[in-house]
Amino acid sequence: MTRRSLSFTFIGIALLGTTGYLFWDGVDRRPLDRLHPDAHPRVDRDLKAILADTLRVLVLQDPLTWEPVRSGARGLEWELLQGYAADRGIPVRAVRVPVADSLLSWLQQGRGDVVAA
């Protein structure tokens, strides 16, 4: 590589870097917020609203999580949430989610307040 071509290469890199720096300020630096549909919650339901209504628990039908029985429902996570809600005087209602992949989207759509899975 000759000295002249090396100089042109250096000048080209410097111009590209300067151009990139000048235009970088206008670039949207939040691509995930724009592209990911579940980047922000869609429902504003806080503890006051839950206390006034019910704690809606999104559950998958599984023996460790939640399953209906004749006397009501059972499952480790369900019983832990029932105990927590009973200590605070909050009624609890299970919302059965058919597919595990839907848990996060149902939560952000406001179909439930907490996930037990």
Side-chain angles (χ1 to χ4, degrees), residues 31-43 104-105 108-109:
L32 289 179
D33 291 349
R34 229 178 349 104
L35 299 176
H36 196 276
D38 295 327
H40 299 288
R42 299 181 189 132
V43 177
L104 180 61
S105 63
Q108 290 193 337
Q109 289 171 10

Side-chain angles (χ1 to χ4, degrees), residues 23-75:
F23 289 109
W24 180 254
D25 191 39
V27 174
D28 185 9
R29 293 188 178 99
R30 300 167 295 146
L32 289 179
D33 291 349
R34 229 178 349 104
L35 299 176
H36 196 276
D38 295 327
H40 299 288
R42 299 181 189 132
V43 177
D44 185 25
R45 183 172 156 94
D46 59 359
L47 186 58
K48 288 180 184 178
I50 294 170
L51 288 172
D53 188 22
T54 33
L55 177 64
R56 300 170 303 167
V57 181
L58 298 173
V59 295
L60 295 172
Q61 188 167 345
D62 182 78
L64 289 175
T65 306
W66 173 87
E67 66 179 349
V69 292
R70 286 185 213 161
S71 60
R74 69 176 180 190

